[in-house]
Amino acid sequence: LKAGVGNLTTWVYKPASQVIGAYMNGDTKGLNRAFYAYGNTMDTMSNGSNYMKNRWRASAQDPTAMTVSRDEIRYTKSTEDMELAKQIADSASAEGNDGPAMLYEIMKVQDDLARHPWLRVGNRAMGAEDAWLRSINGQQIARMRAYDKVTENGNKALVKADADKLAASIYEQMFDANGILKDEQVLKETARMTFSQENVLSESFKDIMGRIPLLRPMFMFTRTPVNMAVFDAQMNPVQAFTNKLKRYDLPFEQQNIDKVKRLLTDEGVDVNSGIDIGAEYTRKRNEYKGNHALGVGFVMMGVYGYLSGNITGKMGLKNRQKQNMRRAADWKPYKAFGIDYEQIPGLSTWLSLTVDILDNATEMESHDVAQLLGTQAAVLASQFTDRVMLANAQQFSDVIQGKG
């Protein structure tokens, strides 16, 4: 359910940020491009649902049906390990030692159970939701490429019938022989939206845990929280600290072409595939500008919600006694007009942070430096420790000290 809410939210954010960013940048061509690419919503969702159902059915027969990139490597490695174990067991049995063969049979039963579709319902459901979003992104990117070709990068009038036909053809070419969507740009954008993109911090944690297995129970999931923190940072309402926005600060005409290619390559765009580099750069520029605007909007919403008493933050008051009185009066965290917004990426962070800051504003105005810094640290820590796995570090510290 959480994955579904997250996928739906990030899907809504994408066209919103494009349209808002294009409007703020005065990019009329970008606005028209975005309206065409993100329009036709019902057909897009229908095609996405069909792809999701196909992947769901295929995954019942083949555990690798929903895998891409690193997951394929994992399943291949598992198969190779089982084959190696069987060879070792057969060799030992030929010498009269049946111990390895018994161990192999136990491993095989466990592997068969792990691959059984009934026991992989949760995994398959999440994979199906990701497949839906992958298909949505694929169709939208196909429409963008078709729009650029039919309109000659916005210089000619759009002939919708021609663009639709070309977009359908481009979308079909994104699939491999097994019916799995493999377009590199689509995969990278989807990984970013589902918080499963590879990142330096999570890979570093993985290397450390490979050397120190004791850390695994404390840091089991590393990619998702780090990617969520990166996603939230893109909506930073303080423009000076929005790194992506600074990289795309200049219009395409004023940028160095080599820098543009490097930026787009980092975004998963194949700059040698014949796409219009200027249009893709402008799209990303509009997107990051729109993300910043959404962050500002969330902060303004938090101010209004706090003043009207309709929105609560995550932490509440730092003063424990006062906060306990609130809880006794049925105070709940992450509530906006009676609706829980905790699972909405981006919005949940900036809205709750704004409300928590306003909630503790009187203590933050204190002339007592210790109280001031303590309150600031509490508010920031309540937001970001979960995002970057620092909460797990406390558990690890308790184990080391013999407290847990």
Side-chain angles (χ1 to χ4, degrees), residues 3-4 7 11 44-59 64-68 71 123-139 171 174-175 179-182 186-187 190-191 194 196:
N7 286 357
W11 172 54
T44 302
M45 293 183 65
S46 176
N47 291 334
S49 298
N50 289 336
Y51 181 62
M52 177 178 68
K53 287 187 289 186
N54 290 338
R55 292 298 90 204
W56 170 265
R57 286 196 297 265
S59 67
T64 66
M66 288 186 183
T67 61
V68 291
D71 293 327
N123 180 280
R124 291 170 59 207
M126 292 184 65
E129 291 172 355
D130 289 350
W132 177 83
L133 186 59
R134 205 172 295 133
S135 173
I136 298 292
N137 284 333
Q139 293 174 76
Y171 178 64
M174 293 180 175
F175 294 85
I180 300 178
L181 207 158
K182 291 287 190 176
V186 174
L187 295 181
T190 305
T194 56
S196 58

Side-chain angles (χ1 to χ4, degrees), residues 71-319:
D71 293 327
E72 291 176 348
I73 298 173
R74 187 187 68 202
Y75 277 110
T76 302
K77 184 73 165 60
S78 175
T79 303
E80 291 174 352
D81 289 345
M82 290 300 297
E83 291 175 352
L84 177 61
K86 187 175 188 310
Q87 292 175 9
I88 294 173
D90 291 342
S91 298
S93 295
E95 297 175 358
N97 180 6
D98 293 328
M102 294 176 63
L103 291 175
Y104 170 74
E105 289 301 324
I106 295 174
M107 291 170 57
K108 189 173 185 309
V109 170
Q110 293 176 337
D111 188 62
D112 290 341
L113 287 173
R115 294 171 183 266
H116 196 284
W118 291 1
L119 300 179
R120 292 187 293 107
V121 170
N123 180 280
R124 291 170 59 207
M126 292 184 65
E129 291 172 355
D130 289 350
W132 177 83
L133 186 59
R134 205 172 295 133
S135 173
I136 298 292
N137 284 333
Q139 293 174 76
Q140 293 171 345
I141 289 174
R143 288 200 191 99
M144 289 180 186
R145 295 175 184 174
Y147 180 90
D148 292 338
K149 289 187 178 181
V150 171
T151 65
E152 295 182 3
N153 303 321
N155 295 315
K156 292 175 59 177
L158 173 67
V159 181
K160 190 174 184 302
D162 293 345
D164 288 346
K165 183 177 180 181
L166 181 57
S169 175
I170 294 173
Y171 178 64
E172 289 178 2
Q173 294 171 21
M174 293 180 175
F175 294 85
D176 65 8
N178 297 319
I180 300 178
L181 207 158
K182 291 287 190 176
D183 184 87
E184 189 66 25
Q185 183 180 355
V186 174
L187 295 181
K188 280 204 172 185
E189 290 206 12
T190 305
R192 188 159 44 245
M193 294 169 70
T194 56
F195 313 122
S196 58
Q197 188 179 25
E198 299 292 350
N199 58 73
V200 175
L201 185 57
S202 65
E203 289 300 305
S204 299
F205 265 98
K206 190 191 304 178
D207 292 340
I208 293 173
M209 289 185 289
R211 299 173 184 273
I212 312 176
L214 177 65
L215 295 176
R216 289 185 182 277
M218 286 72 181
F219 301 98
M220 290 187 294
F221 306 104
T222 56
R223 277 190 301 172
T224 300
V226 172
N227 280 314
M228 289 183 70
V230 172
F231 183 84
D232 292 341
Q234 291 180 2
M235 295 185 174
N236 186 347
V238 183
Q239 183 170 344
F241 299 125
T242 309
N243 189 40
K244 287 283 189 180
L245 190 58
K246 289 192 291 184
R247 292 182 183 179
Y248 288 83
D249 58 344
L250 297 176
F252 173 71
E253 293 76 14
Q254 299 177 26
Q255 282 280 28
N256 179 278
I257 188 63
D258 292 330
K259 179 183 178 181
V260 170
K261 290 181 178 179
R262 186 167 59 252
L263 289 172
L264 292 180
T265 300
D266 292 342
E267 300 287 350
V269 179
D270 184 0
V271 295
N272 298 316
S273 63
I275 64 167
D276 182 78
I277 295 176
E280 280 299 311
Y281 172 85
T282 302
R283 179 175 74 88
K284 299 306 295 185
R285 182 170 181 258
N286 292 339
E287 179 181 338
Y288 291 125
K289 185 77 170 180
N291 283 338
H292 166 68
L294 287 172
V296 173
F298 295 155
V299 171
M300 295 174 64
M301 186 189 303
V303 173
Y304 168 78
Y306 170 78
L307 294 176
S308 64
N310 291 314
I311 299 180
T312 62
K314 176 183 180 182
M315 183 184 81
L317 294 171
K318 181 176 180 291
N319 187 305

